Amino acid sequence: MYAMASICLVIGLALGYLFRGSASRPGSTLPAASMPAAAGAPAGTQPQMPSLEDMKHMADKKAEPLLAKLKTDPNNSELLNQIGTLYKATHQFKEAAGYFQKAIDADPKNVAARTDLASCLFYEGDADGAIQQLQQSLSYDLKDANSLFNLGMIRLQAKNDPTGAVTAWQQLLKLNPTLAEDKKAAVQKLIAQARKPKASE
């Protein structure tokens, strides 16, 4: 049902597919995306991470055929979402957000694009805007696992609201009873950690 990239939580949980391709904002403990490795690194050496400028060039190159299609179909929400995903994967969050916004302008019920827009807004420092987009997503699909998971993470990390985070994650588990056991266990572990008194952490 979800075409989602695997992620690894910085807090040490392998959740799999619930947080779609997110990249970590500096200082954030949210899930981090796999960064593209530098081309041509000598075997056995630690590959040097490409710069943001390098990654933008990568995204621009990969986006070229999609942008060509967009010229003849400028309101294609799925196409706009694909372009946004390319820029998001290379940490071009502001540019990605623009495409995700166009995708939901063309199709307000495009929950995937709205969830990705929320991620970009968060990484750009707009946690309130991100939460608003996720709540809008949930108005279209109350049980969307990605929206509920992200809502919990942002409430916990950006708003210091563990109660709100736990509420979102409990809703995720309640409304998605067929969630894979490993993902369910990971969410349950997050809930347990969020409930720990700060003094004991």
Side-chain angles (χ1 to χ4, degrees):
M1 184 175 180
Y2 302 99
M4 297 173 270
S6 294
I7 55 90
C8 181
L9 292 180
V10 173
I11 56 174
L13 295 175
L15 191 59
Y17 301 106
L18 285 179
F19 201 85
R20 299 180 69 241
S22 295
S24 86
R25 179 179 177 81
S28 168
T29 54
L30 282 177
S34 57
M35 296 276 287
T45 64
Q46 184 69 22
Q48 184 177 356
M49 299 305 277
S51 69
L52 286 176
E53 190 62 29
D54 290 336
M55 289 195 288
K56 185 179 188 312
H57 287 316
M58 287 184 228
D60 288 340
K61 191 71 177 173
K62 288 187 176 183
E64 281 177 5
L66 298 176
L67 290 167
K69 290 181 183 178
L70 194 64
K71 289 180 181 178
T72 59
D73 193 5
N75 294 316
N76 185 319
S77 185
E78 289 304 316
L79 188 56
L80 287 160
N81 192 36
Q82 288 177 41
I83 298 169
T85 300
L86 280 176
Y87 284 103
K88 181 184 170 192
T90 52
H91 295 204
Q92 310 301 311
F93 300 120
K94 188 173 182 180
E95 194 154 359
Y99 285 106
F100 291 135
Q101 183 62 61
K102 289 177 182 177
I104 62 176
D105 286 344
D107 177 14
K109 294 183 179 181
N110 188 333
V111 170
R114 204 176 279 279
T115 304
D116 280 329
L117 174 58
S119 297
C120 291
L121 291 174
F122 172 79
Y123 295 127
E124 284 292 299
D126 184 5
D128 290 333
I131 289 172
Q132 184 179 9
Q133 290 297 331
L134 292 171
Q135 289 172 333
Q136 188 68 35
S137 291
L138 292 168
S139 75
Y140 293 119
D141 184 356
L142 185 63
K143 66 179 184 178
D144 183 63
N146 291 315
S147 296
L148 288 165
F149 180 77
N150 292 6
L151 184 60
M153 291 301 293
I154 293 172
R155 280 180 171 164
L156 182 65
Q157 301 297 340
K159 307 303 285 186
N160 192 26
D161 179 13
T163 300
V166 167
T167 298
W169 292 331
Q170 286 179 327
Q171 191 82 339
L172 189 166
L173 295 175
K174 179 181 178 181
L175 297 177
N176 294 274
T178 60
L179 196 66
E181 286 302 317
D182 58 335
K183 298 178 183 70
K184 189 182 298 183
V187 174
Q188 288 169 337
K189 189 170 181 179
L190 279 173
I191 290 171
Q193 290 181 338
R195 282 176 165 164
K196 285 182 182 177
K198 285 194 174 183
S200 67
E201 289 181 353

